[in-house]
Amino acid sequence: MSGNFQKYIDEHLAQAKLFQDQQEAERKKKADEARVKAESRKSLMLFLGQFIDSAIKFGTLTSAQSELYLTNYRKEYGDSALVAKYLALVVQLITHPQTGVESTTARFGNGGLIWRGQTYQNSRELCEAVVALLADFNPFDNSIVWFEYLLQEVFAEESAIAAEPYLDRWRTTYVPMIIKLVEQEKNSVQIPDIDNLTTDDLFIIQSLTGGF
């Protein structure tokens, strides 16, 4: 009787050991797969980043290339990092040594903006051209206050703004400041409470703004 009981215990222990070994093998397999995937993504993002930098440098960047890069960048690093990278790409484009933005007027808001050999009447036109090259993606919707700020920095001291995306403070200080500028612009005009307006006054606001 005791022999059969010991046999039962041994078989049970053997089954438990086999189960543990299988679990460990599965865990190791998943860990290896995750490591390979992570290394692959790291290599991919490094390649894409170098490719985009090279395309900007030699003036061959296309909207399709930008879209592929920005899509994968968002997937890999998230929305916050995407905004920082997007602004960095804009800086690279408008401070390019050969094709960066310049102005034939003392104030860029008065027109005469030139970028990549093309002339633009105002900062909105130029912003739209830059956004079009970056996959028609503007993380700030229709706002251009962020773009005009970058232009001001370019014309104030181009070498300084060109270096900013490579500094640690770019993501911790510079980008948050630009985001704050956009938020301030959105909240610069407060629409009155509709319940406090007469029909005539509401009509005046609607005629000015095109509606709410």
Side-chain angles (χ1 to χ4, degrees):
M1 182 71 177
S2 60
N4 291 335
F5 184 69
Q6 184 61 47
K7 181 179 179 182
Y8 170 78
I9 292 176
D10 292 342
E11 290 177 349
H12 179 74
L13 291 174
Q15 290 177 352
K17 179 65 167 58
L18 178 61
F19 178 76
Q20 290 176 346
D21 290 345
Q22 290 174 337
Q23 289 291 96
E24 178 62 21
E26 185 64 23
R27 185 198 64 76
K28 185 177 183 303
K29 179 182 178 182
K30 290 181 178 179
D32 288 342
E33 290 175 347
R35 177 179 52 78
V36 170
K37 182 178 180 179
E39 290 178 352
S40 176
R41 290 294 298 179
K42 182 178 179 180
S43 296
L44 172 65
M45 296 312 300
L46 178 61
F47 168 77
L48 289 178
Q50 292 175 339
F51 182 92
I52 294 299
D53 285 345
S54 178
I56 290 176
K57 179 179 179 181
F58 294 106
T60 60
L61 184 68
T62 67
S63 183
Q65 292 167 347
S66 297
E67 182 174 12
L68 179 66
Y69 180 52
L70 293 173
T71 298
N72 279 277
Y73 201 92
R74 168 181 267 166
K75 180 179 179 181
E76 193 68 17
Y77 305 115
D79 289 341
S80 179
L82 174 68
V83 172
K85 173 54 67 174
Y86 182 91
L87 290 172
L89 293 178
V90 172
V91 169
Q92 283 183 261
L93 288 166
I94 64 178
T95 62
H96 190 282
Q98 283 76 46
T99 60
V101 66
E102 57 183 325
S103 179
T104 59
T105 60
R107 299 180 186 277
F108 67 80
N110 290 328
L113 290 168
I114 303 172
W115 178 63
R116 301 183 102 194
Q118 299 295 317
T119 300
Y120 300 88
Q121 295 302 312
N122 51 56
S123 54
R124 180 168 291 279
E125 276 192 11
L126 177 56
C127 181
E128 290 173 352
V130 174
V131 168
L133 185 58
L134 293 177
D136 277 325
F137 169 65
N138 182 346
F140 307 111
D141 299 321
N142 292 322
S143 171
I144 65 167
V145 66
W146 60 274
F147 186 74
E148 290 181 332
Y149 179 81
L150 293 180
L151 286 182
Q152 287 179 347
E153 294 292 282
V154 169
F155 292 119
E157 191 175 355
E158 183 173 344
S159 59
I161 182 63
E164 282 292 340
Y166 302 99
L167 303 178
D168 291 338
R169 67 187 182 195
W170 176 252
R171 288 189 60 178
T172 59
T173 303
Y174 207 98
V175 172
M177 181 268 296
I178 292 178
I179 293 174
K180 186 176 181 180
L181 284 177
V182 175
E183 290 301 317
Q184 288 175 340
E185 179 197 30
K186 289 181 180 179
N187 299 321
S188 62
V189 178
Q190 296 295 324
I191 300 295
D193 188 339
I194 296 177
D195 293 336
N196 295 330
L197 296 173
T198 66
T199 302
D200 290 342
D201 291 341
L202 179 60
F203 177 76
I204 291 173
I205 293 178
Q206 288 180 324
S207 67
L208 182 66
T209 63
F212 297 119

